[in-house]
Amino acid sequence: MSIDILLLASAWLITIILLVVFVPRNKIRHGILIFLFKQFITWILGLIVAEFILIEYPVRSFPRATRSSFDFEYFVYPALCVLFNLHYPVNKNFSAQLMHYVYFCSGITAIEITLEKYTNLIEYINWAWYTTWISLFITFYLSRRFYLWFFNLERQKEWES
């Protein structure tokens, strides 16, 4: 078994553990909605990015089905978005809320840069780390807005109006 396959399996296992530990039982319904919405966005964007050969995924779970990374676009990123939204600092000031975005986007981008440099899981062709960071920020923002709208939480004090 290659290190890349082991890393994919580890990503699944760690993500599942994070969801089980950090999604409160009374917020599972919220988590499912956030997961599906982020999945919708990242799956489409991931396919576009892969088809235009901006990023390549030499090692992936379904190499004959798609050029995109099913593991990250369809599971890991949506799961992290669930954690982002359910642990959002609602009652904090603008700076704390902005830093929530910065921490999540920067953490995920740092992991992706490491994977790009040291593994065959991802290869930037016409892409840069800051493109990942910006796309994460935008998709997290869109998922946050959708989540607030869907559950009618718009009246909560938040900076993103």
Side-chain angles (χ1 to χ4, degrees), residues 94-149:
F94 171 79
S95 297
Q97 293 174 353
L98 180 61
M99 291 312 295
H100 191 70
Y101 280 90
V102 170
Y103 292 148
F104 266 83
C105 295
S106 298
I108 294 168
T109 301
I111 291 168
E112 185 174 284
I113 290 169
T114 305
L115 291 175
E116 198 271 336
K117 187 172 184 177
Y118 296 109
T119 71
N120 290 318
L121 294 176
I122 184 170
E123 182 180 331
Y124 291 170
I125 306 298
N126 293 309
W127 197 261
W129 67 267
Y130 55 84
T131 315
T132 293
W133 197 95
I134 292 167
S135 65
L136 286 168
F137 190 96
I138 291 169
T139 58
F140 278 145
Y141 179 79
L142 291 173
S143 73
R144 183 77 190 152
R145 298 304 305 159
F146 180 77
Y147 172 60
L148 294 174
W149 170 80

Side-chain angles (χ1 to χ4, degrees), residues 2 16 38 43 54 108 128-129 138 143 151:
S2 76
I16 290 168
K38 178 74 169 189
W43 188 243
L54 303 174
I108 294 168
W129 67 267
I138 291 169
S143 73
F151 286 107

Side-chain angles (χ1 to χ4, degrees), residues 12-118:
W12 276 84
L13 182 63
I14 290 166
T15 305
I16 290 168
I17 291 169
L18 287 172
L19 288 173
V20 169
V21 171
F22 292 108
V23 174
R25 290 186 76 107
N26 65 337
K27 295 286 185 178
I28 291 175
R29 188 171 59 104
H30 292 233
I32 291 170
L33 174 83
I34 296 163
F35 187 88
L36 292 173
F37 183 78
K38 178 74 169 189
Q39 209 174 44
F40 169 73
I41 294 172
T42 58
W43 188 243
I44 291 172
L45 294 177
L47 288 174
I48 291 169
V49 166
E51 288 302 314
F52 284 103
I53 311 174
L54 303 174
I55 293 178
E56 284 187 350
Y57 302 96
V59 175
R60 55 192 186 274
S61 293
F62 303 108
R64 293 179 189 216
T66 179
R67 290 184 179 170
S68 184
S69 173
F70 176 86
D71 306 285
F72 293 106
E73 306 293 346
Y74 204 68
F75 184 67
V76 175
Y77 290 156
L80 293 175
C81 189
V82 169
L83 300 176
F84 169 84
N85 276 288
L86 294 183
H87 295 281
Y88 189 83
V90 175
N91 296 319
K92 303 284 184 178
N93 62 21
F94 171 79
S95 297
Q97 293 174 353
L98 180 61
M99 291 312 295
H100 191 70
Y101 280 90
V102 170
Y103 292 148
F104 266 83
C105 295
S106 298
I108 294 168
T109 301
I111 291 168
E112 185 174 284
I113 290 169
T114 305
L115 291 175
E116 198 271 336
K117 187 172 184 177
Y118 296 109

